[in-house]
Amino acid sequence: MGTLDTLFAPDGVAVVGATESEGSVGRAVMENLLDGYDGIVVPVNPNADTVFDVPAVDSVTDAEGVELAVVVVPPTIVNTVLEECGESGIQDVAVITAGFGEAGSEGAQLESQMKAIAAEYDLNLVGPNCIGVINTPTGMNATFSPKFPIEGQISFMSQSGAFITAVLDWASDQDLGFKDVVSLGNKAVMDERDFVEYWGEDPDTDVVLGYLEDIERGQEFIETAQKVTSEGTPIVAVKSGRTEAGASAAASHTGAIAGSERAYEAGLQQAGVIRATGVQELFDYATILEGQPTPDTNEVAIVTNAGGPGVMSTDAIGDSQLEMADLNDDTVERLEDTMPDGANIYNPVDVLGDAPTDRFEDALEIVLDDPNVGSVIVVACPTAVLDFERLADAIVAASETTDVPIAASLMGGHSADAAEKILGEVGIPSYFDPARGINGLDALYEFAQLQERGYEPPTEFDVDRERARSILERTRERENNSLGVEAMDLLEAYGIPIPEGAIVDSPGEAVEAAESIDGDVVMKIVSPDILHKSDIGGVEVGVPNDEVADTYGDLISRARNYHPDAHIIGVQVQEMADLDAGTETIVGMNRDPQFGPLVMFGLGGIFVEVLEDATFRVAPVSESEATSMLDEIDSAPLLRGARGRDPVDEGDVIETIQRISQLVTDFPAIMELDINPLVATPEGVSAVDIRLTVDQEEL
Amino acid sequence: MGTLDTLFAPDGVAVVGATESEGSVGRAVMENLLDGYDGIVVPVNPNADTVFDVPAVDSVTDAEGVELAVVVVPPTIVNTVLEECGESGIQDVAVITAGFGEAGSEGAQLESQMKAIAAEYDLNLVGPNCIGVINTPTGMNATFSPKFPIEGQISFMSQSGAFITAVLDWASDQDLGFKDVVSLGNKAVMDERDFVEYWGEDPDTDVVLGYLEDIERGQEFIETAQKVTSEGTPIVAVKSGRTEAGASAAASHTGAIAGSERAYEAGLQQAGVIRATGVQELFDYATILEGQPTPDTNEVAIVTNAGGPGVMSTDAIGDSQLEMADLNDDTVERLEDTMPDGANIYNPVDVLGDAPTDRFEDALEIVLDDPNVGSVIVVACPTAVLDFERLADAIVAASETTDVPIAASLMGGHSADAAEKILGEVGIPSYFDPARGINGLDALYEFAQLQERGYEPPTEFDVDRERARSILERTRERENNSLGVEAMDLLEAYGIPIPEGAIVDSPGEAVEAAESIDGDVVMKIVSPDILHKSDIGGVEVGVPNDEVADTYGDLISRARNYHPDAHIIGVQVQEMADLDAGTETIVGMNRDPQFGPLVMFGLGGIFVEVLEDATFRVAPVSESEATSMLDEIDSAPLLRGARGRDPVDEGDVIETIQRISQLVTDFPAIMELDINPLVATPEGVSAVDIRLTVDQEEL
């Protein structure tokens, strides 16, 4: 796939299916293109000589000077058109026509053919089932939506075409400018990753916005988005179908197979996508990311003329990752010298209700000088002595002398409109509700952190991959795809500590194994047909050496009683884990249809199973990602010495997460895996039990 | 205190401190009153013959036909004026003047005098340190803020005067009407409770709105608000100073002693106050509560012409207490008959992008007929065939035939303005972001539930109050105000089961006590000077009868070693609680400065102490409130049979919470109390240990 320059800014556009017929899509697209596009427009229609006085050609192969074809013909003809495009060297195509993957098996078949043709000719194909493409610098509206946005630095992709029409209608009244807009449709060929990649390198795109219902190729998306974000272009997205209720609607909408919300949460976070919960947040974030620099610290100074709104702003800061700036002594002194008696010279700085513009100006200048202050919000209530427009001018002037981001809340109705326009022109957002401005500053800070985070490759541990493969291949010999404690050596092959022990198949061997282990032992039945060993009395803890032989017999007969035909591999004789000194954790993995291997961490027992206190990452997991998993769970204090326990060795837990990440990345055949428990102690970790499922076809 | 009718709609207003002096508050108030107020205005100013051509009087005692005095004279003169008001029968006063409680000790003293005068003359006093009072039906603007709102059914109180000026400025462009507006100021005399009570009985107030930084007299507020809400008037409030950061700003603002957020959370919930997190929510909720009926169910139907916005709306429903309506068979059949192929006839109902108004109309009519549907949101994207104004007319027509609340999201910019106006006139909110409309429907549903909840008096258990008093009085005999296990009989007096046992002070008595108990016993040192008994080896568990005498000696000597001067009451010999069969819970109480006794419930051990998984209610706690406490904690499944445990007797836990609520309500002297653990088993509960602190002056 080449650059998308010719998709968004082609020298000429062919409209395949152009017509003057009232109410048709072909007519709307022609009208939109003829209205302002600075390139060539060629209508393709074998039944017309001209369309709106433009000479028509019979086939796209006859269209000259054209780099983009917009296709609006019926679905059964589309693939023929695409072949013609390929043959005649048109690489960029937007298929507006619907009736493909979203419309039953026949449509799905057409869409498969479409993919094959696109692959053959290396087409940059948008859609099908979309509203088209917009580019403001060339004035190109290659959609059937009548509204054309003003030019700006935001590029926007949406999986809902209707949402684009709504946003364009709304944005035209908001002074919100766009560069490229693309309707993703069914994403038969190009998807969100392609556009994120292109806009990441596009000097004219400052912010990438997305409305997404699902994400294709999750791991590749993460990689691309991470790169784009760390190189300075923020990506903000609403991922819709978030909640269970929403996901079912998404599935019936475009036939998208929605990944689980947990996977998206992890994946988007790792990708560095700033997630907006709704439409308002999406554009609030876009506005401030486009207009303001990123902050150096998370500390915010509030400058206000009113106590109440100062408190509200402080609340909003408390709800975010931001903090109230701790103004330094010099700042406080200067404020004391400059402000009248009664003013609050600590944060929130209250310049009092009788403050004219210049008092705001002075306070703003002083707090902007404070190195602790990462960002500033000016919150002003209307008073008899305050002129919002003059205040806006003062804020703009202050912003020109600083790299500290500024937001405003001029708390008025239309009386604030002119001032908001002045601020908007230099990229300073202003809303009635100060919480919106603070939310925006929070997004800026998040972006600053994402840029700082950069890209950290996962650690490559020295492991015995061949040994692991041979252990996984044991499943070939059985009907069942799951492995249990008999696969403990898989962990050993990947350098994860396991208790001393052995799997034996006679009482004598059991005694021998137990004697080689210090102290009492744990004995467990080993059978692929018995998943819940404890439930059938298949586990005995604290067995002294002289009872090992009898216990062996008991375990075998319990297993036989439970399941006469069970394939019994033997009995595991294992060193006792020092559970009292340790904390049970779980490290697990599930394979998500979109994002692939999703690694889980949490505390064992009730914590994951009842309280659902667990955290997820898409593998491969880097060291800092694994570290943050430990920070994220609510029960983390239990690992860190709460209630008089000794803190566990967190480093070993973090390393185990990474080693499991490496294992499941190396072997796509592992579909599910649970180490439960992984006992963590002050001295290290020990994986006491394992269960995993393998897809033999992937081996 | 009489009715507030004459405060908000007086026949005449005296402005004490009226003047023509440029930039003064006295001038601004006069100007505002002379502009539109339909009553008599009397300026009071001994140095002026007239103010704005209105004849002035020297003293408020000379003002005739006046029911309200607005006071703007310097703080040192205010109290004299108040006495004059009292003497001359003016009961309603708004003191705008600042310089009282918020301004140091001198001001605080003036404020105390003010309270005494108000009490003597039974004054309805607003302020001091406020911006005044507004009433739209009489056109009275008795504030110094120039904006006057349009008339409506919302009454609004605010602890921030500046916020009122901001809201009035903004609301005038939003078609948002008010009835009464009051600036609470320092709340020296009248506070939020008084206004909630008055507006609850005011037929012209449909919704009560508040911006509050603290709440005085928490328990009385709860009682009044509960009554007002259950009788049909919703109360919506922003409680500012929510977060820790916010609370410290509130404290430095009006000298308010902010109660803890936990207490406010519990108190406002019990009061039935619908809590808005910010300004936008405050007015969104007000708009829909004023304009729409309450829903019968929490199920919402979405009618839309676009898949994407349908999914977004579904997400927003998933984020709320609402659910996607399950349309019944008849509805689905009727939609199938009426809608074109490809339309989604399940919820969200998608009438497709080519839908003209009448298709929306049909779908709306059908879903409104479905008894499952509690409320409806119409979400429309702009298309070539859809006219927003005609759609708005259709929605209005549909709303006139139903009691089902309706919200709209016409997703356009100014192209939706005229339609939104049509909807707004009949009280149907419409926002670009469908989530805002759904949030509003959620608030409506919350109000429906609050009305249904009504008022439930706390259960009065038959207890031995005199015995409890005598136990609490034991603290008189000692220096220390705290009681420990020696107060277990306090629980007995209030009918809370405790293990069998006794406090003894000799080895012989210990043996005797142990022999009367089945099985081994627990022995604990009892001393007001030893709080953490376990830490000094002051607790022995599982003591067989033949070791009781020796253990007695050990415990006493360990206590002596630890603290030679400790006052040792003796040793408690207690039945062993069956901890394996039970779950440790905690029932506790803390006295909050605003709300009084705050009862806590949670699970023992790590759950409250590490995970902070606890829930609070202001006492007295009714049975349904106590029941909801069990539902609220995350660890509730552990009480209900998670992981193979037997479910505990929840009824006994709920009863214990109520009995503790009764105890701490009966004895305001109890400052803090912890039953830790209260062991809950399938058979009942047993309070194993207690600790409490008493304020002897309250006994």
Side-chain angles (χ1 to χ4, degrees), chain B residues 16 60 69-71 73 77-86 88 93:
Chain B
V16 187
V60 74
V70 180
V71 182
V73 297
I77 309 172
V78 167
N79 285 334
T80 312
V81 171
L82 295 179
E83 282 190 322
E84 289 169 358
C85 288
S88 49
V93 193

Side-chain angles (χ1 to χ4, degrees), chain B residues 12 40 42 57 60-66:
Chain B
I40 301 159
V42 181
V57 297
V60 74
T61 51
D62 303 328
E64 278 176 39
V66 157

Side-chain angles (χ1 to χ4, degrees), chain A residues 69 264 331 341 525 551 642 653:
Chain A
Y264 280 112
T331 305
D341 280 357
I525 196 78
T551 304
V653 176

Side-chain angles (χ1 to χ4, degrees), chain B residues 267-289:
Chain B
L268 290 172
Q269 196 256 327
Q270 286 172 269
V273 171
I274 298 170
R275 208 160 166 187
T277 55
V279 180
Q280 180 172 293
E281 255 184 30
L282 185 68
F283 290 100
D284 284 358
Y285 291 176
T287 305
I288 199 161
L289 283 161

Side-chain angles (χ1 to χ4, degrees), chain B residues 282-631:
Chain B
L282 185 68
F283 290 100
D284 284 358
Y285 291 176
T287 305
I288 199 161
L289 283 161
E290 187 188 358
Q292 291 295 302
T294 50
D296 287 335
T297 79
N298 74 337
E299 296 190 26
V300 187
I302 300 168
V303 178
T304 183
N305 64 348
V311 181
M312 286 181 217
S313 306
T314 308
D315 271 351
I317 288 171
D319 286 340
S320 74
Q321 321 172 60
L322 303 172
E323 284 179 21
M324 289 293 283
D326 192 8
L327 301 179
N328 70 25
D329 293 348
D330 183 47
T331 305
V332 170
E333 228 167 84
R334 285 175 64 194
L335 285 169
E336 194 164 20
D337 290 347
T338 320
M339 296 294 123
D341 280 356
N344 190 19
I345 53 174
Y346 299 93
N347 197 15
V349 177
D350 187 344
V351 300
L352 300 181
D354 64 349
T357 304
D358 57 358
R359 206 186 295 157
F360 267 101
E361 221 171 330
D362 292 342
L364 197 51
E365 190 192 321
I366 295 169
V367 300
L368 282 170
D369 272 354
D370 190 322
N372 291 347
V373 171
S375 49
V376 173
I377 184 160
V378 178
V379 181
C381 286
T383 69
V385 291
L386 187 68
D387 180 331
F388 275 164
E389 284 173 65
R390 284 198 49 214
L391 177 60
D393 287 333
I395 296 172
V396 169
S399 78
E400 281 161 1
T401 67
T402 182
D403 283 335
V404 171
I406 302 178
S409 174
L410 307 186
M411 299 184 76
H414 290 324
S415 70
D417 285 353
E420 284 185 355
K421 207 173 165 59
I422 293 169
L423 292 169
E425 272 162 13
V426 300
I428 298 172
S430 177
Y431 309 105
F432 182 83
D433 189 340
R436 280 177 73 185
I438 287 162
N439 242 344
L441 292 175
D442 195 29
L444 269 186
Y445 176 67
E446 189 179 339
F447 179 54
Q449 284 183 297
L450 288 168
Q451 273 188 283
E452 214 172 287
R453 174 178 93 174
Y455 173 68
E456 180 196 337
T459 311
E460 283 269 357
F461 295 95
D462 188 19
V463 297
D464 189 344
R465 201 159 159 170
E466 280 321 302
R467 187 176 164 205
R469 176 177 304 283
S470 73
I471 295 164
L472 292 173
E473 281 173 350
R474 287 180 201 157
T475 53
R476 285 202 201 280
E477 300 148 25
R478 40 168 112 170
E479 286 164 32
N480 198 313
N481 280 331
S482 57
L483 289 168
V485 280
E486 71 273 23
M488 290 293 280
D489 42 355
L490 182 67
L491 299 176
E492 211 171 40
Y494 266 68
I496 296 165
I498 59 174
E500 211 182 326
I503 295 172
V504 297
D505 59 5
S506 75
E509 277 177 26
V511 172
E512 205 174 308
E515 279 171 353
S516 73
I517 294 170
D518 271 353
D520 296 349
V521 295
V522 182
M523 295 177 69
K524 299 176 192 168
I525 196 80
V526 181
S527 162
D529 300 318
I530 299 173
L531 282 181
H532 300 284
K533 298 184 288 282
S534 307
D535 294 354
I536 65 142
V539 180
E540 287 290 344
V541 177
V543 184
N545 285 0
D546 57 359
E547 290 177 18
V548 165
D550 287 351
T551 304
Y552 182 94
D554 291 348
L555 290 174
I556 298 286
S557 62
R558 279 178 210 151
R560 286 267 166 264
N561 284 342
Y562 166 70
H563 191 336
D565 300 326
H567 168 52
I568 292 173
I569 296 174
V571 167
Q572 192 197 38
V573 179
Q574 203 179 48
E575 174 188 14
M576 292 270 289
D578 188 2
L579 288 176
D580 282 345
T583 303
E584 291 191 28
T585 69
I586 301 181
V587 177
M589 189 276 304
N590 258 287
R591 215 162 272 276
D592 178 77
Q594 250 87 33
F595 285 96
L598 201 61
V599 174
M600 185 195 81
F601 173 72
L603 258 60
I606 53 161
F607 295 97
V608 166
E609 291 167 35
V610 178
L611 302 178
E612 294 177 8
D613 181 20
T615 175
F616 294 82
R617 290 291 184 285
V618 176
V621 176
S622 70
E623 187 181 341
S624 62
E625 283 170 344
T627 306
S628 65
M629 291 177 83
L630 258 72
D631 294 330

Side-chain angles (χ1 to χ4, degrees), chain A residues 169 173 242 413-414 609 643, chain B residues 169 173 315 413-414 609 643:
Chain A
D169 192 298
D173 308 320
R242 265 184 302 125
H414 291 324
E609 292 167 34
R643 289 173 62 85
Chain B
D169 192 298
D173 307 319
D315 271 351
H414 290 324
E609 291 167 35
R643 288 173 63 84

